[in-house]
Amino acid sequence: MIEIDINCDLGEGVGNEAFLMPFISSCNIACGGHAGNKMTMSIVADLAEKYNVKIGAHPSFPDKENFGRKLLNMSPEALYDTVYTQIMSLKTILGNKGLNLHHVKPHGALYNAAVVDKSVARTIIKAVNDIDSGLVLYAPYHSLSAEIAKQEGLQVMYEAFVDRNYNEDLTLVSRQQKTALIDDADHMFEHMCHMILNGKIMTVTGVEIEVKADTFCIHGDHKNVLNNLEHLVGKLKENNIEIS
């Protein structure tokens, strides 16, 4: 029996959290940067508690207009302030409910920047460490964010994406490209199983690259996400891969 974690980005205005929660084991709650507010954070946290789903903060560049998917040029001080404030806003809500914050996963352009930009990665990790050094960082394998987090004493869970295609350098194919997204549930299953069972990812160019993944993300705003997730989890269980 193999056990894996499936995470989902939630609280982003889609409103499908109650349907997705039974199929996942951790969630990343938007906390005001690209989406979300105190009410949505509270609602999603209650659902996570109901379904025993681990709760993470999903901070981003403060850019709701572009849904956090545009790279912003921010000073380290300004970036620290917004990341710290976003995580703390969720942590405070959870504390009032007697719930714990488990992890942090940056969103969108901030996530991608932290993979390759040492200053951005260090700023995020400092904010996380200052809040709670026991938090886990979700970050890609072979990323600066993962390497620096480990150097600074943070626990890291390597993350891979079930519904996204990869380039040969393990970066995600740009959403500007038609090949960025994986929409077919069977393709998602094959994509994911290749990583779980073989430790490799098939890139968009057909080249296999070594990868490690502890948690797998499927986007909550992805087309047909509920049907795809339900199908995916069913196929995983058929193959003795449990979600935990």
Side-chain angles (χ1 to χ4, degrees), residues 11 14 20 22-23 39 46 84 92 107 124 138 146 156 161 164 168-169 172 177 189 194 240:
V14 181
L20 300 179
F23 300 103
M39 180 179 293
D46 287 343
Y84 185 95
T92 299
H107 166 80
I124 293 169
Y138 284 14
V156 174
F161 291 85
R164 294 291 303 274
E168 290 181 24
D169 62 356
L172 296 173
Q177 304 296 320
F189 172 72
H194 197 46
N240 294 318

Side-chain angles (χ1 to χ4, degrees), residues 7-17 20 34-35 58 66-67 69 105 107 161 163-164 175 181 183 217-226 228:
N7 77 76
C8 197
D9 305 335
L10 300 177
E12 297 181 321
V14 181
N16 57 1
E17 290 84 4
L20 300 179
H34 67 292
H58 199 38
N66 296 292
F67 200 66
R69 288 181 174 151
K105 174 190 165 180
H107 166 80
F161 291 85
D163 52 11
R164 294 291 303 274
R175 286 179 178 267
L181 304 179
D183 295 315
C217 176
I218 184 166
H219 288 89
D221 61 347
H222 195 98
K223 182 175 69 173
N224 298 324
V225 60
L226 179 57
N228 286 342

Side-chain angles (χ1 to χ4, degrees), residues 64-102:
K64 292 188 177 182
E65 181 180 354
N66 296 292
F67 200 66
R69 288 181 174 151
K70 179 180 178 182
L71 181 65
L72 298 187
N73 184 17
M74 300 180 69
S75 69
E77 293 78 16
L79 181 59
Y80 174 92
D81 286 345
T82 189
V83 170
Y84 185 95
T85 299
Q86 288 178 56
I87 298 171
M88 277 304 301
S89 65
L90 177 61
K91 192 171 189 297
T92 299
I93 288 169
L94 296 179
N96 290 336
K97 295 175 180 290
L99 301 176
N100 294 318
L101 184 64
H102 172 260

Side-chain angles (χ1 to χ4, degrees), residues 187-208:
H187 186 183
M188 288 183 188
F189 172 72
E190 293 169 4
H191 184 61
M192 187 175 181
C193 274
H194 197 46
M195 291 186 272
I196 296 170
L197 301 178
N198 303 317
K200 293 182 179 179
I201 194 164
M202 182 66 72
T203 67
V204 72
T205 57
V207 176
E208 287 186 330

